[in-house]
Amino acid sequence: MLGVPPGIWLTVFFIIPLSLIWLFSFGDKRGLIDIDLTWTMANYARAMDPLYLQIFLKSFWFAGITTLACLLVAFPIAIAITFAPSRIRPILLLLVILPFWTNLLIRTYALIAVLRTKGYVNFGLEYLWDGLNAILLFFGMDPSGLIGERFTPAPLLYNNFAVVFGLVYVHLPFMVLPLYASLDRMDRSYLEASLDLGATQFRTFLSITVPLAMPGIISGLIITFIPALGSFLTPDLLGGTDSQMIANVIERQFKSANDWPFGSALSFILMYITFFVLAARALFSKRGSTMDAG
C-alpha cells in the first residue's frame, strides 16, 4: 500500500506525459497545433541530417570536456575535504552545496558579469597589464613592443569557452559529492601501508586512491555528463550562434518552429543515449561485482 501514492504520482506526472511525447515523435505536423499520429519514422530520419548530427556531436564534445574538467578540478577538492579536520569538513561541504541554494538563472547572469568585456576577469587582467606596463617603464623598456600599446579585453563570453566554463561551474558539485562519499569510506590504512613500503605519494595516489575511489568517479562521470549533455540555459545565455547544443535545438522546435513531432524525436534520441549510458554503467558495475566475487 505504501507504494501506491508514489506509483500514481509517477504515472500521472512522468509516464503519461513521457508517453505522449513518444507518440508525438511518430506523428506529422498539421497546421499550427494539430498533430496526426501516422507512425512515421520521418522525424527520426530527419534527425540524422548532417546538420543535427553535428550539433549532437558538439553537445557530446561539450559534455565530455565538461565532465573531464569537473573530474580534474573535483578530485583535489574531494581529497582536501576528506582529509580536512572534522570541525572544518562540514563547512567545506556547505561551500560545495551552497550554489544549489541560488537559482541557476541568477548564477548564470552572475557569470556574465564576470566574463563580459568589462567584467571582473578582464578588469583583473587590465590591472595586471597596467602593473606590467609600469614595471617595464621603470626599467626603461618600451612596453608597446612586448605587451602592446593598450590593453585588449579577452573574448571570454558568447563563445565555446564560455559554454564549457559555465557548464563546469554549474556541474562541479555533482562531481565533488560522489567523489567525497567514496574517499570518505576509504580505508586509510592502505595509504599508510603503501607509503611505508616505499611508494611515492603519486604512486600511492594512482595505485590506491584512484581504484578505491572508482565507484565515486564513475557515479560522478554519469551524473555530470548526462545533465551537461542536456543543458539548455547555459549555452543559451553564454554561448554564441556556433555554441548551441542539442537542447537549444529541441527548445526551438517546441517554441519557435512549433514542430512538436520533430522536437519529440530529438528529445527521445537524447533520452535513448541517456539510457544507453546508464545501461553501460549498470553492466560495468555488474562485471566489477562478478570479478570481485570471483
Side-chain angles (χ1 to χ4, degrees):
M1 292 297 294
L2 294 177
V4 173
I8 295 175
W9 179 274
L10 288 175
T11 302
V12 174
F13 295 103
F14 180 75
I15 296 177
I16 293 178
L18 205 59
S19 300
L20 290 175
I21 296 297
W22 182 76
L23 291 175
F24 288 162
S25 68
F26 297 100
D28 283 328
K29 178 185 176 182
R30 293 287 185 267
L32 185 62
I33 59 175
D34 294 334
I35 298 175
D36 289 343
L37 184 59
T38 58
W39 297 105
T40 179
M41 297 294 294
N43 295 310
Y44 288 95
R46 181 183 170 190
M48 296 298 105
D49 185 275
L51 173 64
Y52 299 108
L53 289 179
Q54 183 180 2
I55 298 176
F56 267 110
L57 291 176
K58 183 181 294 184
S59 301
F60 273 97
W61 176 247
F62 284 167
I65 294 178
T66 298
T67 305
L68 179 60
C70 285
L71 178 62
L72 295 177
V73 175
F75 219 117
I77 296 175
I79 291 177
I81 297 175
T82 302
F83 290 95
S86 57
R87 67 179 184 279
I88 302 178
R89 200 175 306 163
I91 300 176
L92 297 177
L93 286 173
L94 178 63
L95 293 177
V96 173
I97 303 173
L98 196 60
F100 291 122
W101 295 8
T102 307
N103 185 272
L104 176 59
L105 182 62
I106 297 176
R107 285 185 283 154
T108 305
Y109 275 113
L111 271 184
I112 294 177
V114 171
L115 299 176
R116 63 186 178 181
T117 302
K118 295 184 179 180
Y120 298 111
V121 173
N122 275 310
F123 176 78
L125 293 176
E126 185 176 6
Y127 184 80
L128 291 176
W129 185 90
D130 290 338
L132 182 59
N133 185 65
I135 293 174
L136 292 176
L137 289 175
F138 178 79
F139 286 102
M141 303 174 65
D142 182 14
S144 61
L146 296 175
I147 60 176
E149 295 182 357
R150 59 193 311 178
F151 173 75
T152 302
L156 302 176
L157 200 57
Y158 306 124
N159 49 36
N160 294 343
F161 167 80
V163 173
V164 174
F165 186 86
L167 291 175
V168 172
Y169 167 71
V170 170
H171 296 93
L172 185 60
F174 294 108
M175 183 68 75
V176 173
L177 295 177
L179 283 175
Y180 166 74
S182 292
L183 292 173
D184 189 51
R185 295 193 300 266
M186 178 178 59
D187 189 350
R188 301 185 185 183
S189 62
Y190 291 119
L191 304 179
E192 298 173 358
S194 176
L195 296 174
D196 290 341
L197 291 174
T200 62
Q201 293 281 356
F202 184 70
R203 180 63 182 273
T204 300
F205 173 77
L206 292 180
S207 302
I208 306 297
T209 306
V210 172
L212 292 178
M214 191 57 66
I217 294 175
I218 296 175
S219 298
L221 292 176
I222 291 176
I223 65 177
T224 301
F225 180 82
I226 292 177
L229 181 63
S231 181
F232 157 72
L233 185 63
T234 301
D236 187 57
L237 295 180
L238 300 181
T241 55
D242 296 330
S243 306
Q244 300 298 290
M245 298 176 66
I246 190 61
N248 302 105
V249 178
I250 294 173
E251 183 268 346
R252 286 196 296 269
Q253 297 303 319
F254 277 96
K255 295 182 65 176
S256 302
N258 201 35
D259 193 349
W260 286 35
F262 183 53
S264 300
L266 291 175
S267 300
F268 263 87
I269 290 176
L270 193 61
M271 189 171 297
Y272 297 148
I273 296 172
T274 301
F275 286 158
F276 175 79
V277 173
L278 294 176
R281 164 71 174 97
L283 181 62
F284 182 85
S285 299
K286 184 177 180 180
R287 285 186 176 181
S289 301
T290 304
M291 294 177 61
D292 292 340

